[in-house]
Amino acid sequence: MAALPAWVQDLILALALILVNVATLVFYRSQLHPFWLALTLVVLETLPLAWRRSWPAAAFLVAGLPRSIYDSIGLGFAPLPLAQAIAYFTVIERCRPAARRILTVLLAIGIVRSQLLPGHTQPYDFTVVSLIFVTAGMAGVLSRTRHAYLQDAEARGGQAEAQRGAGAARAAAAARARIARGLHAVGAPHGSLQGGAGGAAGRPC
């Protein structure tokens, strides 16, 4: 069975995480006013995962904006920032070094800002959120390193195959040259003998 296209996999991931976050919010419905706004922001912060591999930086920024609004409103409960963590993982895995550094700085600013807002006075909030993003970043580094290793191994394998092919071609050419020289060496004495026999027949008795 063929694997699903990357965009389909990302869309399924986004929809699944939306269901998880919405189900989480339902348990805290009494604390969320207005509830519809909380649902809307949770959906908006998760949908960008659908294009995370095509535009990782854009997906990360678009996912972060609704979350920032959600925290600023102070609804009293917020689901774990899993969508943002997955988007950050993709940034570390796929973006260029300059983009990774800039987006990491923006992430750090966002985390600190959210912790300074009312309702985020518990120290474990900062610890849990930081641990989530540090884990996502490390996973991104490992994934990028693995991809680079596999690409390098594939390139080395291609070069080795090309070298083997070139060596086989040289060996075949050398073998043909040896055969040609051998045939020439066998044919030359035979021609000499024929010439000598003809000359002797032409002389008078």
Side-chain angles (χ1 to χ4, degrees):
M1 183 177 178
L4 294 174
W7 70 269
V8 175
Q9 297 178 24
D10 291 340
L11 179 60
I12 293 173
L13 173 64
L15 295 176
L17 190 54
I18 286 174
L19 291 177
V20 171
N21 284 342
V22 169
T24 302
L25 291 183
V26 169
F27 288 102
Y28 294 88
R29 184 170 184 173
S30 61
Q31 302 179 24
L32 302 172
H33 302 288
F35 182 64
W36 66 268
L37 181 57
L39 289 178
T40 301
L41 292 174
V42 163
V43 171
L44 291 178
E45 76 179 40
T46 310
L47 274 179
L49 292 182
W51 65 81
R52 69 184 182 92
R53 278 186 272 196
S54 300
W55 299 287
F60 176 74
L61 292 172
V62 175
L65 182 59
R67 180 66 183 215
S68 179
I69 297 173
Y70 192 107
D71 291 338
S72 299
I73 294 174
L75 293 171
F77 170 80
L80 293 174
L82 298 180
Q84 293 75 19
I86 295 172
Y88 182 62
F89 159 83
T90 311
V91 164
I92 298 300
E93 180 190 44
R94 293 176 174 265
C95 288
R96 296 179 182 275
R100 296 199 300 265
R101 287 191 290 268
I102 292 172
L103 294 175
T104 298
V105 170
L106 291 177
L107 171 63
I109 293 173
I111 292 175
V112 172
R113 175 185 173 277
S114 69
Q115 298 304 309
L116 295 177
L117 293 171
H120 292 273
T121 57
Q122 298 296 330
Y124 68 82
D125 287 348
F126 177 78
T127 303
V128 170
V129 171
S130 298
L131 182 60
I132 288 173
F133 283 103
V134 168
T135 302
M138 292 176 63
V141 171
L142 291 175
S143 180
R144 188 179 72 248
T145 304
R146 176 178 174 274
H147 286 310
Y149 172 79
L150 292 176
Q151 290 175 356
D152 184 61
E154 184 177 352
R156 289 198 304 270
Q159 291 175 356
E161 186 66 27
Q163 291 173 355
R164 284 194 296 269
R170 289 193 297 269
R176 288 194 296 268
R178 287 195 300 271
I179 292 171
R181 288 195 299 270
L183 291 175
H184 179 72
V186 170
H190 182 65
S192 300
L193 290 174
Q194 286 183 340
R203 291 196 299 268
C205 295

